[in-house]
Amino acid sequence: MTLIVVPVRYPLSEHSAATLREAIKISADRNAELSVLHVDLYQHSKNVTRTDLKRAVEREFGELNNVRYVVRRGFLLEETILEEIVGENADLVVIGSRQAGRWQRMLRKLRADPDIGEFLKGELDCTVITVSADGVTSR
């Protein structure tokens, strides 16, 4: 089964809700499993639980099928998200455009080409879809 990972903020921001809305649509279209990921940063920890995340998502979108809720703790947001993508062997990642911008800045320090989509496709054999706050997607 196809696995889609979608990193979101908790509580859900408007941008996270738009990103999640697109991920839900894609997972329904592809009959895929959806992994909703929140990274609770050690330095700003809110002690978010899977139950907190699930309730927030279900308040916004109702009960969802084929969805798992994951809360990871880490120091670096981008690194923790990448670890989840690699560890779960995700087929597709749906990220907000702000997150994509952060990843590009991180990659710029490591490589001449900071295109996160191309990096993930090349390194992880993973498709990346970027969603803006108004719900516009790019692949």
Side-chain angles (χ1 to χ4, degrees):
M1 179 175 259
T2 301
L3 175 63
I4 300 170
V5 173
V6 57
V8 297
R9 292 186 183 274
Y10 178 88
L12 291 177
S13 66
E14 184 178 322
H15 201 165
S16 286
T19 303
L20 187 51
R21 186 173 298 107
E22 183 64 19
I24 291 167
K25 179 181 171 290
I26 293 167
S27 71
D29 290 347
R30 297 181 184 204
N31 194 30
E33 181 181 6
L34 182 62
S35 181
V36 179
L37 170 66
H38 170 71
V39 178
D40 196 17
L41 296 173
Y42 285 119
Q43 61 271 35
H44 303 292
S45 181
K46 295 181 175 119
N47 294 314
V48 177
T49 67
R50 288 182 36 210
T51 302
D52 295 332
L53 182 59
K54 180 179 181 185
R55 285 183 182 147
V57 171
E58 289 182 346
R59 267 193 308 273
E60 183 79 21
F61 298 99
E63 190 173 331
L64 301 170
N65 296 320
N66 290 329
V67 177
R68 65 187 189 108
Y69 299 89
V70 179
V71 175
R72 297 281 183 243
R73 300 209 185 327
F75 284 108
L76 298 172
L77 184 67
E78 296 80 8
E79 180 180 353
T80 306
I81 293 170
L82 285 172
E83 286 173 356
E84 181 70 14
I85 293 166
V86 171
E88 294 301 320
N89 197 25
D91 300 294
L92 192 138
V93 180
V94 181
I95 59 172
S97 56
R98 289 182 185 161
Q99 186 62 47
R102 286 187 195 104
W103 282 5
Q104 288 170 346
R105 284 190 296 279
M106 177 185 76
L107 284 176
R108 194 171 290 125
K109 294 176 185 177
L110 304 174
R111 323 173 33 165
D113 178 15
D115 186 318
I116 187 64
E118 289 303 313
F119 173 77
L120 289 176
K121 277 191 253 179
E123 299 296 318
L124 304 176
D125 193 28
C126 180
T127 302
V128 178
I129 296 174
T130 305
V131 182
S132 67
D134 59 3
V136 175
T137 62
S138 63
R139 296 170 192 244

